[in-house]
Amino acid sequence: MHYFLLKTEPSAYSIDDLERDEVTSWGGVRNFQARNLMRSMKEGDICIIYHSSCAEPAAVGLATVVKEAYPDPLQFDRRSQYFDQSSKITEPRWDAVDIKFAGRLDNPVTIKMMREDEDLSECKLLAKGNRLSVLPLTHTEYRSIRLLSQS
């Protein structure tokens, strides 16, 4: 089993939306490094949902991967902001995965809380200049976020 952190702007798609929908396609990712991480996701992997670009960025919930990487249909939809005219149906550039709501964290874990936790000192989320929307987490990082949510 592997662990990932998925960033989302709550004004675009929040943990509330995921809880309501139960399962969603996690697409619209347009960064090759993040796409490659999505391609490595396996059914049953655990994701922490992280609200970014908001008043108080924080890890807020959990999801599990229920469908492994497949071509993101948004890349072919001319009406979508994620349309990519250079992507071909025979050679898609972008992928999506399906995730299922698995619960809320007991309490949000803010970026400030994460920065103060020694076990998260190497977490890619905290690296300067990191803007990826999909990040890998170690088991220790995942466990630390879960423990911080209980305080």
Side-chain angles (χ1 to χ4, degrees), residues 4 6 13-27 41-49 60-68 70 96-105 142 146:
F4 297 90
L6 303 177
Y13 196 84
S14 70
I15 193 67
D16 295 332
D17 297 318
L18 180 57
E19 183 175 26
R20 178 198 65 223
D21 298 344
E22 294 184 32
V23 174
T24 194
S25 173
W26 200 265
M41 291 178 171
K42 301 294 179 210
E43 189 174 328
D45 284 348
I46 298 175
C47 304
I48 290 184
I49 305 300
V60 294
L62 301 168
T64 56
V65 176
V66 293
K67 184 175 180 184
E68 295 176 15
Y70 59 91
V97 296
D98 287 357
I99 60 170
K100 180 177 182 178
F101 178 76
R104 292 175 180 269
L105 294 178
Y142 167 76
R146 293 295 306 268

Side-chain angles (χ1 to χ4, degrees), residues 16 18 26 30 43 59 70 75 78-79 82 91-92 107 113 115 120 122-123 142 149:
D16 295 332
L18 180 57
W26 200 265
R30 296 297 180 263
E43 189 174 328
Y70 59 91
Q75 68 192 310
R78 291 187 180 279
R79 295 165 300 183
Y82 301 110
E91 293 181 45
N107 294 292
M113 293 167 68
R115 285 192 177 113
L120 294 170
E122 300 295 316
C123 183
Y142 167 76
S149 80

Side-chain angles (χ1 to χ4, degrees), residues 23-129:
V23 174
T24 194
S25 173
W26 200 265
V29 174
R30 296 297 180 263
N31 174 286
F32 288 108
Q33 195 174 0
R35 180 212 56 195
N36 292 342
L37 286 166
M38 289 173 60
R39 286 181 174 175
S40 75
M41 291 178 171
K42 301 294 179 210
E43 189 174 328
D45 284 348
I46 298 175
C47 304
I48 290 184
I49 305 300
Y50 180 85
H51 283 172
S52 64
S53 299
C54 56
E56 190 162 34
V60 294
L62 301 168
T64 56
V65 176
V66 293
K67 184 175 180 184
E68 295 176 15
Y70 59 91
D72 182 351
L74 297 174
Q75 68 192 310
F76 306 118
D77 182 352
R78 291 187 180 279
R79 295 165 300 183
S80 171
Q81 69 184 38
Y82 301 110
F83 173 70
D84 182 348
Q85 69 182 27
S86 62
S87 191
K88 308 294 179 228
I89 291 192
T90 55
E91 293 181 45
R93 297 176 80 182
W94 307 111
D95 290 336
V97 296
D98 287 357
I99 60 170
K100 180 177 182 178
F101 178 76
R104 292 175 180 269
L105 294 178
D106 294 337
N107 294 292
V109 179
T110 66
I111 192 86
K112 181 179 185 284
M113 293 167 68
M114 290 182 197
R115 285 192 177 113
E116 293 170 352
D117 188 280
E118 185 177 306
D119 288 335
L120 294 170
S121 63
E122 300 295 316
C123 183
K124 295 193 183 319
L125 175 68
L126 305 178
K128 280 216 183 281

